[in-house]
Amino acid sequence: MAASLIGGSLLGVAFDKLYVVVVDSCRKVAAFRSEFESLKLTLTHIKPIFKDIEKLNKLTGTREVETNVLIKQLTEAEALIEECVKIKRHHLCKKWRYSKKLAKLEKSLSRFFAIDVQIQSSRDIKKALVKVNGIDDKTDEILGHLRNLTINQGIGIGATAIGTPNAFPGWADVPAVPDGLVGFDSPLLELKKMVLKDEAGQPVVVISAPGGCGKTSLVKLLCHDKEIEDKYKHISFVTVSRTPNLRSIIHKIFNKLNNGSVPDFQSNEDALNQLQLLLQEHLVGDSILLVLDDVWNESLSVLKKFIFPIQNYKVLVTTRCIFPEFKYTYKLQLLSDNDAMVLFCNYAFEGGKYNGRRDLVDKVVKSCGGFPLALKVVGSSLRGQHLSGIQRQSKSQILFTSDSDLLDCLQPSIDALDEILRNCYKDLGLFLEDQRIPAAVLLDIWVELYNLDEDGFETYDILLKLAARNLVDLALRRKDDPASIGFSNAVHYARQHDVLRELAMYQSANETIENRRRLNIGNDFPPWLLTQTGILLQVQMLSISTDEALFSNVYDLQLPNLEVLLLNIQTSSYTLPIFVEKASHLKVLVVTNNGFSPTMFSNSSLLGHLPNLKRIRLERISFSSICQSTFMLGNLHKISLVMCEVGDAFQDCIFRMPNLLEINIEYCDDLEKLPIGICDLVHLRKLSISYCQKLVEIPEELGNLENLEVLMLHSCSNLTGLPDSIERLCKLSFLDIYDCVDLDPIPEKIGELRSLKTIFMGGRVGLYDLPDTVLNLAQLRSVICDEETAFLWENYRDYFKDLSISIVKDDMNLNWLHRSSCLGNL
């Protein structure tokens, strides 16, 4: 309590000192007068929230970590101002450099101010609540903002938010409006009238149309409309799907509306009660719009649970179904002939114009039935083709009467793919509906099944080709050429429209279950098929998304050709199916826990019976529980742990994986020190540790990894230094230390990395120079960094041959990652 009081007091002192220095410098320093005046204005606007934080710290004795971080930031900012004061006007180079630093400082504070604006409208009400009984609510809100600021922006003045998870739109944010929409002007106006209409007892508006008509695109357009944004101050957007999880949906909404603070729900009823309380008490006076996308008949009961007797609250639903119990239903029509032609030509022909036989194009457009999805997919598949391709497609004319007709229309676009693209497209059907498919998972699968290259560029090319045909949507982490930053830094995930997923699954529908190459087993799978004696499945890729009880009595299931196993679970504990023991050809195992806490594993000793297992990816799993069993994985080449509970498990069982070539660890919050045992893996080529905020130390033994080619320590914000033994990594060609904001100055030993070709660095305050030993990096060809770091490298450019210095752009796709996006399939 005392420490918190001191911290709150020091925060106000630090802010006041910075403000005084800036105001004084505005009068005295001509060289930076415009920059100081702009900074002064920003500080004036942001001052009230600092006072609130200081006041609430005194009232509540809250945690001091966030406060101390801000104090450090403000102190560093004051030091920067004092450095600027010493610079003379005629020192143009220094002035330019420090002007950039001041701009970066102001940008960081402006981001904080943007957070303040979000809570400004409710500040007066919440001050009253603080005086009565709402201290905790206000404190949690402000500290939630602070936590996001300090973690998301790299804990440093001017630090950019590149690659940090929470800096990006979260679970229930409205997605961006798709490019190239046609024919939505009139539907938007009609739907907007319904949504803006206030009528007691009618909180639900339904948009109904078959799959592929553009319902979701229309809603995205609506949510970004200025009139809608002016009326509804809080808009949440969640996908429901055919088999929804109520608590998961509420978890996403809470994360959006309550600034990342989500309580532990004891039951579905408790979750609903707490959500209603949040809407009624915490968002007083604000209008709320909740979008429930892709609701099915099977999930209608879930929709009804979100109907609360609250004023200024509206629920907007998209569905393929008709729900007559709701008064306001907008039936989205198919595109008119003219709009359909425009949309098709935009995707099929350069410049949207076709100068050939109009009758053939008319036939193709009519065969798509006015479905935007079909027009985009078919048009993209014909782009760049000659007349013969258009003639073939024109023969597939169909009168649309159902979704199956839409699938039939799209089939020629799939048939036109080459074999590898067609197989990769079909593989996407193995993943859950509306699931964000990590690109790294596709890489693992396709490398083993189709012998693609390990570096991922062939996988990247396949995804781009499928996306160019509108068969998949991609979330790109960066828009740069992936050759400079690696596949894992270029693409985050892929996602499919549910119709296209059905089409991918439809490809196997004509085969018997026993003979299918790909098989999805969900809760609707007939259990008697698995309980037959001695059942033999020829499946090569198996996806299981069902309760483990289905397999509890399945002992003699034979899977002689199984190479890829995807397990989607949502339980606190899980037992591996017995049949895994006999899957001797299994190469890739992916286990994804869609719950909220790490799953405890049992029966993991079965993994020791898989001599060909090459790749394991675990998401939100207790890795330590797996390592409690005794087993060897002598041929395992890659292990990926995402949001796993690691503990000391790595140190205890790494010797069981002696031939590992790649280790990938992301968002593992309990990883504080890299286990020394990893440094004994002499075959290791790639070590990637990203967003592990508690990692503070890399052991000196790192230099033992003589075959290491890639070292990624991306956004490990508490990492303080690199060991001197890094000089022994003679094969290291790629080094990523971006957003390691507490990292000590670049070690002199870096000059010994004679094989280094690419370095990814930046996002750190206080990096004023580079060691001269960087001149020894004879193979260096690419530096990817922030603007300030680029200035440092410019001083050395002439010493390198063809050195490329790429500045990390601020126009990164901000939809690709929120830490919670890993939960996007909930």
Side-chain angles (χ1 to χ4, degrees):
M1 177 72 171
S4 297
L5 293 175
I6 294 172
S9 176
L10 292 177
L11 176 62
V13 171
F15 182 85
D16 289 340
K17 286 180 66 179
L18 174 61
Y19 188 81
V20 170
V21 169
V22 171
V23 172
D24 189 54
S25 299
C26 285
R27 296 194 302 266
K28 296 180 179 180
V29 184
F32 295 97
R33 182 159 293 149
S34 62
E35 289 90 344
F36 287 156
E37 288 287 356
S38 180
L39 183 57
K40 174 186 172 183
L41 182 61
T42 297
L43 291 173
T44 301
H45 283 303
I46 203 173
K47 191 173 184 178
I49 195 169
F50 278 94
K51 298 302 180 184
D52 275 350
I53 295 167
E54 183 181 10
K55 187 181 302 180
L56 289 168
N57 276 345
K58 292 177 180 178
L59 283 169
T60 62
T62 50
R63 294 188 301 272
E64 65 214 66
V65 176
E66 296 89 349
T67 303
N68 290 339
V69 169
L70 269 179
I71 292 172
K72 179 182 177 183
Q73 291 178 337
L74 296 173
T75 303
E76 290 177 350
E78 182 185 354
L80 174 61
I81 303 299
E82 291 174 348
E83 289 180 29
C84 292
V85 171
K86 300 175 184 177
I87 297 174
K88 305 300 181 183
R89 294 188 68 174
H90 62 275
H91 290 162
L92 298 180
C93 185
K94 281 189 175 181
K95 183 179 184 301
W96 179 87
R97 178 180 171 187
Y98 277 85
S99 292
K100 294 296 182 182
K101 290 185 177 183
L102 288 172
K104 211 168 188 180
L105 165 61
E106 185 177 358
K107 185 176 181 180
S108 177
L109 291 174
S110 295
R111 282 195 293 259
F112 191 95
F113 172 64
I115 293 173
D116 178 41
V117 169
Q118 295 174 12
I119 66 172
Q120 185 71 38
S121 61
S122 61
R123 176 174 285 132
D124 292 339
I125 295 173
K126 300 203 173 178
K127 281 181 179 178
L129 292 176
V130 165
K131 294 178 181 178
V132 185
N133 59 1
I135 292 176
D136 290 340
D137 295 335
K138 177 66 175 179
T139 303
D140 288 344
E141 179 189 41
I142 293 180
L143 290 181
H145 285 306
L146 281 174
R147 194 175 301 111
N148 286 338
L149 178 71
T150 55
I151 295 175
N152 302 347
Q153 298 181 2
I155 315 181
I157 289 293
T160 54
I162 306 301
T164 51
N166 296 318
F168 302 101
W171 302 352
D173 283 346
V174 179
V177 178
D179 295 330
L181 296 182
V182 175
F184 277 3
D185 291 346
S186 178
L188 177 62
L189 289 175
E190 295 178 37
L191 178 61
K192 189 159 62 171
K193 289 179 182 178
M194 291 186 179
V195 176
L196 292 175
K197 186 179 182 64
D198 292 321
E199 182 176 338
Q202 299 295 335
V204 178
V205 174
V206 177
I207 306 175
S208 178
C213 279
K215 300 181 296 294
T216 301
S217 296
L218 176 58
V219 170
K220 293 175 184 176
L221 190 63
L222 176 89
C223 290
H224 287 284
D225 181 86
K226 188 177 186 306
E227 285 187 70
I228 296 296
E229 290 179 329
D230 288 343
K231 178 176 175 63
Y232 295 101
K233 302 304 181 184
H234 302 280
I235 304 177
S236 297
F237 188 110
V238 290
T239 302
V240 177
S241 75
R242 189 175 303 190
T243 55
N245 181 294
L246 182 61
R247 259 190 276 185
S248 298
I249 294 172
I250 296 176
H251 195 284
K252 297 175 186 179
I253 298 171
F254 245 96
N255 184 74
K256 169 70 183 297
L257 298 181
N258 206 33
N259 305 310
S261 177
V262 183
D264 292 328
F265 304 129
Q266 302 304 311
S267 63
N268 286 347
E269 183 178 2
D270 177 49
L272 284 166
N273 290 338
Q274 294 208 46
L275 176 61
Q276 183 173 352
L277 188 65
L278 174 72
L279 299 177
Q280 287 176 325
E281 296 187 1
H282 292 251
L283 304 175
V284 177
D286 290 341
S287 295
I288 304 163
L289 178 62
L290 173 61
V291 178
L292 299 178
D293 187 39
D294 195 24
V295 176
W296 292 67
N297 272 325
E298 299 94 314
S299 49
L300 177 58
S301 60
V302 172
L303 159 61
K304 292 181 178 179
K305 294 181 185 298
F306 287 95
I307 302 175
F308 302 122
I310 300 174
Q311 288 186 341
N312 303 318
Y313 172 67
K314 187 83 71 176
V315 180
L316 180 59
V317 178
T318 73
T319 179
R320 300 185 187 188
C321 313
I322 298 294
F323 299 141
E325 53 264 64
F326 301 118
K327 177 179 179 180
Y328 291 106
T329 296
Y330 179 73
K331 295 183 179 180
L332 180 61
Q333 302 300 311
L334 299 174
L335 293 181
S336 67
D337 290 345
N338 288 337
D339 286 338
M341 179 63 72
V342 171
L343 182 61
F344 174 81
C345 290
N346 285 345
Y347 281 89
F349 308 118
E350 191 70 32
K353 296 181 179 180
Y354 178 62
N355 298 319
R357 288 181 54 183
R358 180 76 181 202
D359 59 319
L360 291 180
V361 175
D362 285 339
K363 286 184 179 180
V364 174
V365 171
K366 288 181 179 179
S367 76
C368 295
F371 281 80
L373 178 63
L375 290 160
K376 290 166 59 178
V377 172
V378 174
S380 298
S381 70
L382 295 178
R383 192 175 185 87
Q385 289 197 23
H386 297 296
L387 181 63
S388 57
I390 300 176
Q391 287 176 323
R392 284 194 300 272
Q393 181 69 40
S394 69
K395 296 177 181 179
S396 65
Q397 183 171 352
I398 297 170
L399 291 176
F400 278 74
T401 59
S402 66
D403 286 351
S404 62
D405 292 334
L406 174 59
L407 298 180
D408 290 339
C409 174
L410 296 174
Q411 187 62 49
S413 298
I414 308 304
D415 295 338
L417 300 174
D418 61 39
E419 184 178 2
I420 182 67
L421 280 178
R422 189 161 55 250
N423 278 323
C424 290
Y425 169 74
K426 293 177 182 178
D427 294 343
L428 296 175
L430 289 166
F431 295 88
L432 297 180
E433 182 183 3
D434 294 313
Q435 180 178 4
R436 294 178 178 181
I437 308 168
V441 173
L442 298 175
L443 172 68
D444 288 339
I445 294 173
W446 292 345
V447 164
E448 295 298 334
L449 291 185
Y450 309 124
N451 296 316
L452 302 188
D453 59 61
E454 291 274 354
D455 58 23
F457 295 123
E458 288 180 341
T459 299
Y460 181 79
D461 184 58
I462 287 172
L463 287 173
L464 286 184
K465 287 178 178 177
L466 292 175
R469 291 163 173 78
N470 280 285
L471 295 172
V472 68
D473 294 323
L474 298 182
L476 301 180
R477 296 190 180 193
R478 294 195 49 184
K479 299 177 181 179
D480 310 63
D481 180 357
S484 64
I485 59 174
F487 169 78
S488 60
N489 282 329
V491 184
H492 181 54
Y493 66 81
R495 199 168 192 170
Q496 273 194 312
H497 191 286
D498 49 5
V499 171
L500 294 172
R501 176 178 178 267
E502 290 178 24
L503 180 59
M505 298 172 65
Y506 180 69
Q507 309 302 305
S508 301
N510 293 328
E511 300 173 344
T512 63
I513 290 178
E514 290 82 358
N515 293 318
R516 290 181 185 176
R517 181 184 178 189
R518 302 169 184 83
L519 182 61
N520 295 64
I521 298 180
N523 289 321
D524 57 348
F525 192 84
W528 59 268
L529 286 174
L530 297 178
T531 55
Q532 298 180 58
T533 303
I535 185 171
L536 176 65
L537 299 180
Q538 300 296 336
V539 62
Q540 184 183 23
M541 306 173 68
L542 176 61
S543 175
I544 299 176
S545 309
T546 184
D547 193 292
E548 62 182 282
L550 179 63
F551 294 93
S552 59
N553 297 318
V554 179
Y555 297 102
D556 54 355
L557 179 64
Q558 300 179 51
L559 303 167
N561 300 319
L562 185 64
E563 296 185 37
V564 176
L565 177 59
L566 309 178
L567 297 176
N568 298 285
I569 62 180
Q570 196 165 332
T571 56
S572 58
S573 60
Y574 186 80
T575 301
L576 274 176
I578 296 294
F579 70 76
V580 171
E581 182 178 9
K582 300 179 182 179
S584 58
H585 288 87
L586 189 67
K587 296 179 180 179
V588 181
L589 174 63
V590 179
V591 185
T592 303
N593 169 22
N594 296 319
F596 301 118
S597 57
T599 294
M600 301 292 291
F601 249 68
S602 59
N603 215 22
S604 54
S605 60
L606 297 180
L607 299 177
H609 297 269
L610 304 174
N612 292 298
L613 189 60
K614 301 291 182 61
R615 297 165 184 265
I616 294 178
R617 176 186 169 94
L618 305 175
E619 186 170 318
R620 208 172 288 99
I621 303 296
S622 170
F623 186 59
S624 56
S625 68
I626 291 180
C627 292
Q628 289 176 2
S629 300
T630 302
F631 57 86
M632 286 291 294
L633 294 172
N635 291 317
L636 191 68
H637 288 172
K638 177 181 178 181
I639 185 167
S640 299
L641 305 177
V642 181
M643 286 186 283
C644 288
E645 179 269 308
V646 178
D648 298 325
F650 247 130
Q651 185 62 39
D652 296 338
C653 71
I654 198 66
F655 68 91
R656 304 179 197 169
M657 312 168 195
N659 293 307
L660 275 176
L661 303 178
E662 180 175 346
I663 296 175
N664 178 45
I665 305 174
E666 299 181 34
Y667 308 107
C668 293
D669 288 341
D670 63 342
L671 182 66
E672 298 181 2
K673 181 179 179 180
L674 187 69
I676 294 179
I678 288 180
C679 301
D680 294 329
L681 299 171
V682 294
H683 302 293
L684 198 66
R685 296 177 188 169
K686 179 178 179 180
L687 176 60
S688 175
I689 306 175
S690 303
Y691 314 110
C692 294
Q693 305 293 344
K694 292 186 179 180
L695 180 68
V696 296
E697 184 178 351
I698 304 293
E700 187 65 30
E701 289 79 1
L702 181 73
N704 296 341
L705 299 175
E706 57 187 28
N707 289 302
L708 195 68
E709 299 173 5
V710 176
L711 176 60
M712 301 177 66
L713 302 169
H714 194 96
S715 198
C716 295
S717 57
N718 286 311
L719 183 63
T720 56
L722 297 174
D724 288 339
S725 65
I726 192 174
E727 64 177 330
R728 305 208 311 267
L729 302 179
C730 57
K731 294 185 179 181
L732 193 70
S733 62
F734 186 101
L735 175 63
D736 180 356
I737 51 173
Y738 200 96
D739 260 354
C740 293
V741 296
D742 278 350
L743 197 64
D744 289 336
I746 306 301
E748 295 280 340
K749 301 290 186 180
I750 195 173
E752 300 300 319
L753 301 177
R754 304 301 172 87
S755 298
L756 191 65
K757 296 180 180 178
T758 301
I759 184 168
F760 193 9
M761 62 184 293
R764 179 182 175 275
V765 176
L767 181 62
Y768 301 124
D769 52 32
L770 299 172
D772 289 338
T773 55
V774 299
L775 295 174
N776 298 328
L777 301 174
Q779 300 297 318
L780 189 65
R781 294 293 179 268
S782 177
V783 175
I784 304 108
C785 57
D786 59 11
E787 192 170 15
E788 183 174 318
T789 308
F791 180 82
L792 300 179
W793 278 100
E794 286 291 345
N795 297 326
Y796 296 89
R797 183 191 286 273
D798 293 342
Y799 295 93
F800 293 92
K801 181 180 179 181
D802 301 325
L803 179 64
S804 169
I805 301 176
S806 303
I807 297 176
V808 174
K809 308 267 193 320
D810 288 334
D811 63 347
M812 293 177 63
N813 183 342
L814 299 187
N815 288 306
W816 70 264
L817 179 63
H818 185 285
R819 171 166 185 176
S820 54
S821 73
C822 300
L823 290 167
N825 52 331
L826 293 180

